Amino acid sequence: MTTTSHNVVLHVDDVRKTFGGLHALSDIDLAVEEGKTHAIIGPNGAGKSTLLNVIVGRLAPTSGAVVFDGHILTGKQPHEINQLGVARVFQTPEIFPDLPVLHNVMTPAFAKRDGSYKLHIWENLLDEKTIQEEAESILQDVGLWERRMDHAGALSRGDKRRMELAMCLIQHPRLLLLDEPTAGMSRHDTNTTIDLLKKLKERGMTKIIIEHDMHVVFSLADKISVLAQGRIIAEGDPEDVRNDPKVKEAYLGGAN
Amino acid sequence: MLGLSAKDTGFLLFVTFLTLATPILLQPFPETSSLAQFNAGYPDLMQRFAIYGIFAIGFNILFGLTGYLSFGHAAFLGVGSYSVVWMYKLLSFNVLPGLILAIVLSGVFALLIGYVSLRRSGIYFSILTLAFAQMSYNLAYSVFTPLTNGETGLQVYTSDPQILMGEGSTQVPNLFGLVMQDSIKLPVGDWLFTFNVGYYFTAVIAIFVFYISLRIFRSPFGLILRAIKTNRTRLSYAGINTRPYMLAAFVISGMYAGLAGGLLAAMDPLAGAERMQWTASGEVVLMTILGGAGTLMGPVLGAGFIKYFENIFSKINESVLHDWFGALPEPVRDFLIAIVSPFVGDGWQLTLGLLFVLVVVFLPGGIMEGARRIGSIFRRKPAAAEPAKLPETPPAVAGDPAGE
Ligand SMILES: Nc1ncnc2c1ncn2[C@@H]1O[C@H](COP(=O)(O)OP(=O)(O)OP(=O)(O)O)[C@@H](O)[C@H]1O
Ligand SMILES: [Mg+2]
């Protein structure tokens, strides 16, 4: 456990999560430092997405707590957690399929600007120039500007993911959680996404990234935690983790 | 203008024109022709078009935008009617205080019912709203009889206080002396047009509340309601607390229903509990779906369509059919009458039901989708002549990708 560092912005403190008899997460401790990209890797079913679900408030942990920037997240509603500056790209894209791409990206901006609810009944969307311009510029960053009028449901899986990334970026989150952000993308789009994520890092955004593509992981990660069967079996710099025999074992499926 | 884009302003002006010209537009057949019975330009029916149009416009803000299907909106219709009749009884026959009370009271009711019902979604939400409406209906017949006058229905008696009534005050519903049931009849050749005060009163209100609904559709609030329909959970991970939005949409649509119920009593000073029955709640669902849920005009058209059927098709009885087919040889005539008669007269609901099935199966977007498809047939040719180009200003915001 490396909880000694000073700029830790997210603490996962001894979190356990069981589904019936299944121990999806056991004794998880995690410390994510400000401005760093923390990768979580591990075989299928290791509990990676479950960990993100606990952080964003989709699941309540069986025990333990999550602390973000001095706030205890455990027990908070998802919208409250987002309002604190935590945004997430889901493993299966969670978008508004019936709305145009542009409106998908504009919607989270209202939550960022106005708080969790403000009933703008009497304003016209057309007059929300600042938000629209920002949405368009972020769509340009992720390479979807040409498709801004299309219904989001018509996008390919990779494009939906990039759009969901745009939906997160318009909120300028303090902590960005990415659950396999390049799955379903072409090699080219994967590389563009890596470049984009690197740029975000230069701007100081803290990220947790779950990824199976080791090229992506080693291009971005400052630190890696390896999860297998709900436990962190290794943690450290990319180089250490790469050479850790336990990790090789877990990935070869001989963990027990 | 009015906080709308140029395109929407044009649209609103067009709707205003149609509404104001309704007494002429719905009277296409000369009085002397045998088709005159299909004319719909008489006060009673036109008032109902406008009133149920208001009901459906409001319902659409909830159902069309958020996808939450309420089966209990007739309760607010009833609350509105009772409010207006009570104001007649206590104050005077001026409709204004009653209508204001109708909107306020139905808003309060909607807040209570919505607060509880919105704890659930999908079918459970629908069942909760239905349960509340049926409870209101039953209470109107039992505990609340002092307020509702039970089965007799609430009406004005000479013994009522009517504290604002003076010696020469009008004894029928009016707006500061402008009597609702008054009409000007204008014969033009063989045509007869009726311009009724009550219709124009409801029409002006309908145009105003249509404008409000247009503003809601174009607002960030409307965008979030649409987002709720397509993926409510995503909104919470984007930092939005969806409950206040849902509740606001529910209360607004409840107030529209209350206003519509109030207007029913403003045209005819009676209120009965049957207005709250589940069939009345179901009717507004049919109107909205038939016209096109989530579109601006659809629910209005749906309301007009159903009310037209109810009033015109129901009047075609066997003797009318005999007139129509009279010139044919007897066996053919009897055959045709035997086939057609189950679908007209008392059978109008059968025809409406069949039409509803056809629309839902073949045109899930309702009348508006039909109109759009016809429109696109005509638009295809010029579009092919021009090279395709990317829109410079985003039409999704200028126009309305989800509605219309
Ligand atoms: N809501 C749930 N109810 C019951 N079991 C669940 C639930 N969510 C996850 N699980 C189980 O918990 C375990 C961990 O799942 P999780 O989705 O976190 O894995 P993962 O590491 O994200 O895997 P992958 O790489 O395939 O996405 C799996 O066995 C899964 O079946
Ligand atoms: Mg996963």
Side-chain angles (χ1 to χ4, degrees):
Chain A
M1 275 180 284
T2 47
T3 47
T4 45
S5 171
H6 34 284
N7 277 330
V8 172
V9 66
L10 181 86
H11 264 295
V12 175
D13 190 11
D14 206 16
V15 159
R16 235 165 24 92
K17 179 69 196 174
T18 55
F19 296 113
L22 176 77
H23 293 268
L25 295 175
S26 312
D27 314 324
I28 300 289
D29 284 295
L30 203 71
V32 180
E33 287 169 43
E34 181 119 52
K36 295 283 160 62
T37 301
H38 195 129
I40 297 175
I41 62 171
N44 290 113
K48 306 181 294 293
S49 299
T50 304
L51 179 57
L52 293 198
N53 286 341
V54 168
I55 295 173
V56 299
R58 177 176 257 191
L59 292 174
T62 310
S63 68
V66 179
V67 181
F68 172 70
D69 192 29
H71 303 272
I72 298 171
L73 300 189
T74 325
K76 281 199 166 51
Q77 300 279 319
H79 67 261
E80 295 171 319
I81 293 175
N82 174 275
Q83 287 288 341
L84 292 172
V86 182
R88 171 178 184 184
V89 174
F90 286 79
Q91 186 168 357
T92 24
E94 286 275 353
I95 57 169
F96 308 115
D98 296 342
L99 298 184
V101 169
L102 183 64
H103 284 177
N104 267 266
V105 179
M106 284 172 72
T107 301
F110 289 109
K112 172 73 180 176
R113 191 189 66 187
D114 305 325
S116 65
Y117 69 93
K118 181 150 186 222
L119 309 179
H120 284 290
I121 292 182
W122 216 236
E123 278 91 55
N124 197 320
L125 211 47
L126 283 175
D127 298 328
E128 302 287 1
K129 295 266 188 288
T130 328
I131 283 182
Q132 187 183 330
E133 277 160 21
E134 180 158 26
E136 294 205 25
S137 111
I138 287 173
L139 280 169
Q140 240 145 10
D141 291 346
V142 300
L144 282 175
W145 186 80
E146 278 80 12
R147 306 210 57 182
R148 68 199 183 285
M149 293 310 141
D150 296 350
H151 276 208
L155 299 180
S156 70
R157 203 166 115 101
D159 285 351
K160 281 181 184 154
R161 218 175 272 287
R162 288 196 285 170
M163 186 190 77
E164 205 185 351
L165 181 59
M167 290 165 70
C168 292
L169 295 185
I170 199 165
Q171 293 195 315
H172 304 287
R174 293 197 51 205
L175 174 65
L176 178 61
L177 310 177
L178 301 150
D179 200 341
E180 306 191 15
T182 65
M185 274 187 201
S186 67
R187 190 80 261 175
H188 172 263
D189 288 347
T190 300
N191 287 332
T192 343
T193 307
I194 292 175
D195 291 343
L196 179 65
L197 294 176
K198 276 184 181 156
K199 227 182 283 166
L200 295 175
K201 188 172 175 175
E202 285 161 21
R203 285 187 225 154
M205 192 182 291
T206 316
K207 295 190 286 299
I208 295 181
I209 177 168
I210 292 174
E211 192 49 82
H212 285 296
D213 184 336
M214 288 305 135
H215 169 61
V216 179
V217 172
F218 287 104
S219 315
L220 293 169
D222 298 302
K223 190 171 169 187
I224 299 178
S225 297
V226 186
L227 210 58
Q229 293 176 326
R231 286 176 189 279
I232 294 180
I233 57 163
E235 192 166 79
D237 297 339
E239 276 319 301
D240 299 345
V241 169
R242 200 203 290 266
N243 301 322
D244 192 318
K246 273 189 292 185
V247 176
K248 288 179 182 161
E249 208 181 315
Y251 267 93
L252 292 172
N256 355 336
Chain B
M1 199 177 85
L2 298 167
L4 296 172
S5 67
K7 196 178 151 220
D8 282 341
T9 310
F11 178 51
L12 182 65
L13 287 175
F14 177 64
V15 170
T16 306
F17 165 76
L18 287 185
T19 314
L20 296 182
T22 293
I24 297 168
L25 298 173
L26 290 185
Q27 205 71 350
F29 308 112
E31 288 305 297
T32 46
S33 95
S34 62
L35 290 173
Q37 59 194 317
F38 288 109
N39 282 338
Y42 54 94
D44 231 27
L45 185 53
M46 288 190 299
Q47 289 166 5
R48 244 167 285 159
F49 285 158
I51 293 172
Y52 283 91
I54 293 171
F55 191 15
I57 291 170
F59 188 76
N60 188 45
I61 292 173
L62 179 70
F63 174 57
L65 289 180
T66 72
Y68 275 59
L69 180 55
S70 161
F71 267 116
H73 262 51
F76 310 125
L77 204 67
V79 168
S81 290
Y82 285 125
S83 305
V84 167
V85 179
W86 265 110
M87 287 296 105
Y88 290 157
K89 289 165 82 73
L90 297 175
L91 305 178
S92 76
F93 271 113
N94 189 333
V95 297
L96 206 57
L99 289 176
I100 293 169
L101 182 68
I103 297 172
V104 172
L105 213 56
S106 54
V108 172
F109 264 70
L111 192 66
L112 297 174
I113 295 182
Y115 184 79
V116 179
S117 305
L118 287 168
R119 303 195 151 259
R120 291 285 170 271
S121 59
I123 186 78
Y124 299 101
F125 167 79
S126 304
I127 298 289
L128 279 172
T129 54
L130 177 63
F132 275 115
Q134 284 305 90
M135 263 158 57
S136 316
Y137 173 65
N138 283 318
L139 287 175
Y141 275 132
S142 54
V143 187
F144 286 137
T145 36
L147 283 174
T148 62
N149 208 17
E151 288 186 39
T152 326
L154 194 63
Q155 57 197 71
V156 184
Y157 300 109
T158 42
S159 56
D160 286 330
Q162 301 203 290
I163 53 170
L164 295 184
M165 294 278 271
E167 270 303 295
S169 294
T170 327
Q171 295 296 324
V172 285
N174 66 85
L175 180 73
F176 303 110
L178 212 56
V179 173
M180 290 299 153
Q181 68 198 31
D182 279 358
S183 294
I184 299 169
K185 287 192 187 288
L186 180 71
V188 179
D190 281 343
W191 281 267
L192 179 65
F193 301 117
T194 314
F195 301 97
N196 168 258
V197 174
Y199 171 69
Y200 276 100
F201 179 63
T202 48
V204 167
I205 294 180
I207 291 165
F208 180 67
V209 299
F210 179 80
Y211 165 68
I212 293 180
S213 127
L214 183 57
R215 289 291 296 257
I216 289 177
F217 266 62
R218 301 295 185 244
S219 67
F221 174 67
L223 172 65
I224 287 174
L225 295 184
R226 284 197 180 102
I228 287 176
K229 182 178 186 175
T230 166
N231 188 351
R232 186 173 177 175
T233 44
R234 184 57 172 107
L235 275 175
S236 48
Y237 298 106
I240 286 169
N241 183 2
T242 50
R243 290 275 243 72
Y245 290 89
M246 284 303 308
L247 195 55
F250 193 89
V251 170
I252 292 170
S253 75
M255 289 163 86
Y256 270 74
L259 173 64
L263 285 170
L264 284 173
M267 298 302 118
D268 182 9
L270 285 173
E274 74 287 343
R275 221 159 253 173
M276 296 187 163
Q277 219 176 349
W278 66 273
T279 45
S281 295
E283 195 180 50
V284 74
V285 178
L286 294 192
M287 288 170 178
T288 310
I289 293 178
L290 195 65
T295 64
L296 278 160
M297 270 311 275
V300 183
L301 296 177
F305 203 81
I306 287 182
K307 286 295 153 192
Y308 184 81
F309 253 78
E310 184 183 294
N311 288 276
I312 303 292
F313 257 64
S314 61
K315 279 194 304 202
I316 304 171
N317 51 27
E318 287 221 10
S319 76
V320 175
L321 290 179
H322 270 276
D323 279 355
W324 287 0
F325 302 129
L328 299 167
E330 199 179 307
V332 180
R333 184 187 69 195
D334 288 350
F335 178 71
L336 280 177
I337 290 177
I339 289 195
V340 175
S341 62
F343 294 96
V344 295
D346 293 336
W348 68 272
Q349 280 171 314
L350 182 61
T351 318
L352 188 63
L354 280 175
L355 268 172
F356 188 73
V357 170
L358 289 176
V359 163
V360 171
V361 172
F362 295 105
L363 279 180
I367 298 173
M368 288 308 287
E369 188 181 330
R372 206 168 23 236
R373 283 196 197 167
I374 293 171
S376 70
I377 294 173
F378 288 107
R379 237 175 287 129
R380 199 161 292 156
K381 281 170 200 157
E386 275 175 42
K389 63 172 185 194
L390 266 174
E392 272 317 311
T393 50
V397 184
D400 176 13
E404 281 284 294

